[in-house]
Amino acid sequence: MFMRILSSALFAGCAAGILAALLQLYFVQPVLLHAELYEGGELVHSFSQPTTGHHDLASTVEASTPHDHDNTDPVSASAVSANPDTDGFDLARDGLSMAFTILVYCGYSFILVALMAVANGKGITITARQGLVWGVAGFIAVHFAPAFSLPPEVPGTAAAEVAVRQVWWFSTVAATAAALWLIAFGKSHLPWGVAIILLLAPHVIGAPHPDIFTGPVPPEIAAQFASKALGVGLAAWTLLGLFAAWFWQRSGISQRSTQPA
Amino acid sequence: MTTITQAVPATRTDIIAIFAALCFGIAIIVVAGHAQASSLHDAAHDTRHAAGFPCH
């Protein structure tokens, strides 16, 4: 059983992770690099005060990633192009991003396939087509529900203490996943009632937000980042559900044919 | 209509396998997505932002 989960999860996680990484690099990364020009102070938003001491993380990121903005003229606060030149493909930085995206999707995949195994044990068949629905449910639990109260943050936005947000994030994902499970497999009205409470609770309690907004990044960039990150998440999770169900189902067939019960 | 295959009763090893896979998956998400060690954070920075994890 563990080998079956392991192989299905690894195949599905790698396949979805590679596609997620490519979508991310093409659609999300340019917005992130654009935001970092504001975070690092190279561009200054007309509505924000010139930042002199941007917070320490910006400097660590700047230091850890080679930047080459020779082609970016010093821009005055009054006229900032909305389409600056950002770096192209950076092998070290984007390679690491790809590796970590694949890793994260393998992590999701382990959880998803383990839950599919639980459903399977309860007599529920999982076809590749149904996998799409599992994927959408995963997207709702892991991306959409947290984003409802805590949108994906572009670098250079103000935020509350990271540990507090992480606790809120994990609680929200767990509560939403439990709620979706109850809606899918609950057999009476009671689980649905509990599910509604679990779906609402994290947002009624509310996500941790900063006391004041001090981020130097224009809201246009932050909005675009959030929606693009969510869109890529939906595409990648749908694919993850499809692949996970397909590999899980196939490994079941081969297992049955080799080990007749 | 949902097709019901024979409900395979979960054995003890199945339950352990499922639990182990769940823990493994959560551990990957915690380490790759949320651990704050600075080298990990810098390497995973762009992924964390794009995944909507609280990053810093």
Side-chain angles (χ1 to χ4, degrees), chain A residues 105 108 112 116 127-146 173 176-177 180-181 184 199 230-245:
Chain A
Y105 273 86
Y108 291 154
L112 187 64
M116 284 178 174
T127 63
R129 194 183 288 265
Q130 282 161 335
L132 290 171
V133 181
W134 281 75
V136 172
F139 163 77
I140 293 172
V142 174
H143 286 257
F144 191 73
V173 171
T176 309
L180 295 178
W181 183 277
L199 285 174
L230 283 175
V232 167
L234 175 58
W237 261 98
T238 314
L239 291 167
L240 179 66
L242 176 74
F243 296 151

Side-chain angles (χ1 to χ4, degrees), chain A residues 38 43-51 77 214-218:
Chain A
Y38 287 92
L43 296 181
V44 179
H45 185 223
S46 51
F47 289 105
S48 69
Q49 291 173 354
T51 45
T214 53
V217 173

Side-chain angles (χ1 to χ4, degrees), chain A residues 35-131:
Chain A
E36 281 189 345
L37 296 179
Y38 287 92
E39 187 189 30
E42 282 166 75
L43 296 181
V44 179
H45 185 223
S46 51
F47 289 105
S48 69
Q49 291 173 354
T51 45
T52 44
H54 53 82
H55 69 111
D56 55 339
L57 186 103
S59 47
T60 47
V61 172
E62 295 284 311
S64 67
T65 51
H67 273 237
D68 177 21
H69 295 305
D70 295 335
N71 52 355
T72 313
D73 297 324
V75 191
S76 70
S78 55
V80 181
S81 165
N83 302 291
D85 287 334
T86 46
D87 295 338
F89 188 77
D90 175 332
L91 190 64
R93 178 176 184 167
D94 294 338
L96 274 173
S97 295
M98 285 196 78
F100 271 96
T101 302
I102 293 166
L103 192 60
V104 164
Y105 273 86
C106 284
Y108 291 154
S109 189
F110 272 102
I111 299 168
L112 187 64
V113 175
L115 293 175
M116 284 178 174
V118 174
N120 230 192
K122 290 161 73 76
I124 295 152
T125 341
I126 295 151
T127 63
R129 194 183 288 265
Q130 282 161 335

Side-chain angles (χ1 to χ4, degrees), chain A residues 1-2 5 24 28-29 32 36 39 55 57 60-61 64 93-94 96-97 100-101 103-104 106-108 110-111 114-115 117-118 121-123 125 143 150 152-155 159 162 165-166 169-170 225 229, chain B residues 1-10 13-22 24-26 28-36 40-56:
Chain A
M1 174 67 110
F2 186 71
I5 296 177
Q24 201 165 295
V28 183
Q29 190 69 6
L32 189 147
E36 281 189 345
E39 187 189 30
H55 69 111
L57 186 103
T60 47
V61 172
S64 67
R93 178 176 184 167
D94 294 338
L96 274 173
S97 295
F100 271 96
T101 302
L103 192 60
V104 164
C106 284
Y108 291 154
F110 272 102
I111 299 168
L115 293 175
V118 174
K122 290 161 73 76
T125 341
H143 286 257
L150 198 65
E153 300 147 359
V154 75
V162 64
R165 284 182 292 139
Q166 285 176 334
W169 188 91
F170 275 105
F225 184 84
Chain B
M1 195 184 92
T2 48
T3 348
I4 307 288
T5 53
Q6 75 284 23
V8 192
T13 46
D14 285 355
I15 293 166
I16 292 169
I18 288 167
F19 187 71
L22 275 177
F24 196 42
I26 291 166
I28 292 174
I29 301 300
V30 168
V31 173
H34 297 268
Q36 287 295 310
L40 253 182
H41 171 279
D42 292 348
H45 177 263
D46 298 354
T47 297
R48 290 179 177 194
H49 276 284
F53 298 150
C55 190
H56 42 72

